[in-house]
Amino acid sequence: MTAPLQRLGAASLNVFAKLGRANLFLALALTGIPEILRRPGLLIRQMYVVGVLSVLLIALSGLFVGMVLGLQGYNVLSDFGAEESLGVMVAASLVRELGPVVTALLFSGRAGSALTAEIGLMKATEQLSGMEMMAVDPMKRVITPRLFAGILSMPLLAGLFTYIGIYGGYFVGVSLLGVDEGSFWSQMQAAIDFREDLVNSVIKSLAFGVIVTWIAVFEGYDAVPTSEGVSRATTRSVVYSAFAVLGSDFVLTALMFGE
Amino acid sequence: MDNSRIVEIWVGVFVAIGLGALFLLAMEVSNLAEFREQKTGYRLLARFSNIGTLKVRSPVKIAGVTIGRVAAIHLDPEQYQAVVEMRIQPQYKLPDDSIASIYTSGLLGEQYVAIEAGGSPEFLEDGDEIEITQSALVLEELIGKFLVKTTEESGPKE
């Protein structure tokens, strides 16, 4: 009779315990900031792994997303004789939503899963405990640089994605389908506000950077130190990141663009 | 040593590309260039009995050329009229007998303030009001007038 209730209670306690561990983990990781200021080499090394190696994927995805937006938008808009608004449609959807969101999803698949697997394996092979033995704080040495590399890389990658995406839409719309070039850009510039759209887009991508990297490094650090545990943690990292990004995107959009 | 130099160079390239993309987005895609002009322009006021769907940041045009933006809209609580505050770029001077109307761009497009320049030698200055205005056309009102007219015409015949 009380067994289902007990299971529910135990499950909720587990969730809360994990949330608590995740927050303590973040607080501890933030205490490593002086360390990365003193030794920026650690951060730069991780920015290479997390950021530079993601550029090609992000750039190509941005190009194709922009080209698809150009094609689909043209088909719908030409029904209303409003092809000139293609620039607005492509730019608004990329700047406000697709840029930050799709970049965050790709980023969690490309970089987040790698971070989780790497840290999880470090834990499974007892490299983290080894560091502690040598009086090196693995938090400051391993976690903080990876966390900040992810947070700093996300807005840059999202900006790149958006910019290339708009040129993808431009290529399809203006070069292939013959939308007027002047109105493509001028209507876009008239509709996209610097403060309302662009700054909010950067804030969004920064928030997603925090979410995705935080989940990735925490799942790695919290993984059961076996090969199965690491594989599960990697899956969880990508799945939770996707949920968290899409869910928080709704909240952020409601706060930024809701009236 | 050499390896870490290469890593640093690539990270430098990555950061430069990312910041460059954000900068170009600001300059090419958004209205940042116009943003500065908006602050330097002078203000004009106009009263309308109905502004339709005019919004803050809607364009102000003369002969189809955008010369400014709507900066603020509020209601005059005594006369129940909409007071539209516009910012006009400083290089454009308007005669003080100009007419401000609210038009729609295209059939379904957004509404904007169109200004017809008058012939007066005096120019409007910061904070002045455009006296002659023409309100937005509301589709329902037009249809209503049309219906009244057609019923009046067909009425006495039968």
Side-chain angles (χ1 to χ4, degrees), chain B residues 15-81:
Chain B
V15 172
I17 289 177
L19 291 179
L22 287 174
F23 176 75
L24 287 174
L25 273 178
M27 298 315 291
E28 283 181 25
V29 175
S30 83
N31 57 352
L32 189 65
E34 207 177 285
F35 202 62
R36 264 176 276 120
E37 287 168 12
Q38 221 175 18
K39 294 228 161 130
T40 55
Y42 64 99
R43 291 180 317 133
L44 286 183
L45 297 172
R47 289 163 182 275
F48 296 94
S49 58
N50 192 334
I51 56 165
T53 58
L54 195 75
K55 292 187 205 71
V56 172
R57 293 202 28 74
S58 292
V60 178
K61 296 182 183 183
I62 187 161
V65 180
T66 303
I67 57 160
R69 298 262 165 197
V70 172
I73 297 171
H74 60 93
L75 186 73
D76 175 354
E78 280 167 16
Q79 298 180 33
Y80 299 105
Q81 279 182 325

Side-chain angles (χ1 to χ4, degrees), chain A residues 44-45 47-48 51-52 55 91 153 155-157 159-160 162-163 166-167 185 188-190 192-194 198 202, chain B residues 3-4 6-8 10-11 14-15 17-19 21-22 24-32 35 57 69 108:
Chain A
I44 289 175
R45 176 89 226 165
M47 282 205 57
Y48 179 77
V52 176
V55 165
S153 298
L156 300 177
L157 290 171
L160 189 66
T162 310
Y163 187 68
I166 288 170
Y167 268 90
W185 289 111
M188 182 193 300
Q189 282 162 359
I192 304 294
D193 188 63
F194 176 72
L198 216 59
V202 174
Chain B
N3 186 24
S4 86
I6 292 169
V7 165
E8 281 171 11
W10 275 112
V11 172
F14 165 60
V15 172
I17 289 177
L19 291 179
L22 287 174
L24 287 174
L25 273 178
M27 298 315 291
E28 283 181 25
V29 175
S30 83
N31 57 352
L32 189 65
F35 202 62
R57 293 202 28 74
R69 298 262 165 197
L108 302 164

Side-chain angles (χ1 to χ4, degrees), chain A:
Chain A
M1 174 65 184
T2 54
L5 276 179
Q6 189 197 347
R7 271 205 298 274
L8 181 66
S12 327
L13 282 176
N14 269 338
V15 169
F16 284 122
K18 189 162 187 179
L19 275 177
R21 283 203 304 280
N23 280 303
L24 282 177
F25 173 84
L26 183 65
L28 267 179
L30 292 182
T31 61
I33 294 176
E35 174 86 8
I36 52 171
L37 290 180
R38 212 150 16 105
R39 303 183 56 185
L42 289 176
L43 181 69
I44 289 175
R45 176 89 226 165
Q46 290 309 319
M47 282 205 57
Y48 179 77
V49 175
V50 167
V52 176
L53 297 182
S54 309
V55 165
L56 195 62
L57 169 78
I58 297 290
L60 276 178
S61 314
L63 183 67
F64 286 122
V65 168
M67 280 162 62
V68 167
L69 275 177
L71 269 178
Q72 293 283 17
Y74 181 83
N75 282 342
V76 175
L77 290 172
S78 61
D79 286 348
F80 299 102
E83 298 98 294
E84 277 73 28
S85 305
L86 187 67
V88 182
M89 202 213 94
V90 170
S93 40
L94 277 168
V95 171
R96 290 182 191 161
E97 291 298 332
L98 290 176
V101 172
V102 176
T103 308
L105 294 178
L106 290 170
F107 184 71
S108 96
R110 169 67 184 75
S113 58
L115 284 178
T116 311
E118 189 190 10
I119 296 172
L121 267 174
M122 280 183 169
K123 193 183 176 190
T125 53
E126 296 183 339
Q127 292 180 47
L128 294 182
S129 341
M131 279 187 181
E132 273 178 69
M133 291 293 218
M134 296 188 288
V136 177
D137 188 348
M139 216 55 183
K140 290 179 181 161
R141 188 62 196 266
V142 173
I143 305 296
T144 314
R146 285 172 173 73
L147 186 67
F148 278 90
I151 294 172
L152 293 178
S153 298
M154 246 309 283
L156 300 177
L157 290 171
L160 189 66
F161 183 96
T162 310
Y163 187 68
I164 292 183
I166 288 170
Y167 268 90
Y170 168 82
F171 172 69
V172 168
V174 176
S175 308
L176 296 185
L177 297 171
V179 174
D180 180 57
E181 179 171 1
S183 43
F184 183 90
W185 289 111
S186 67
Q187 290 208 19
M188 182 193 300
Q189 282 162 359
I192 304 294
D193 188 63
F194 176 72
R195 169 67 195 81
E196 282 287 304
D197 293 314
L198 216 59
V199 173
N200 278 346
S201 167
V202 174
I203 293 174
K204 257 189 187 178
S205 55
L206 205 58
F208 294 160
V210 174
I211 291 170
V212 170
T213 336
W214 180 17
I215 290 177
V217 287
F218 174 70
E219 283 295 346
Y221 195 76
D222 203 47
V224 181
T226 58
S227 42
E228 197 196 354
V230 173
S231 100
R232 285 209 178 155
T234 312
T235 311
R236 273 205 307 271
S237 158
V238 176
V239 172
Y240 289 175
S241 297
F243 277 136
V245 163
L246 296 172
S248 61
D249 180 48
F250 173 71
V251 176
L252 285 173
T253 305
L255 286 177
M256 288 169 176
F257 300 103
E259 278 174 282

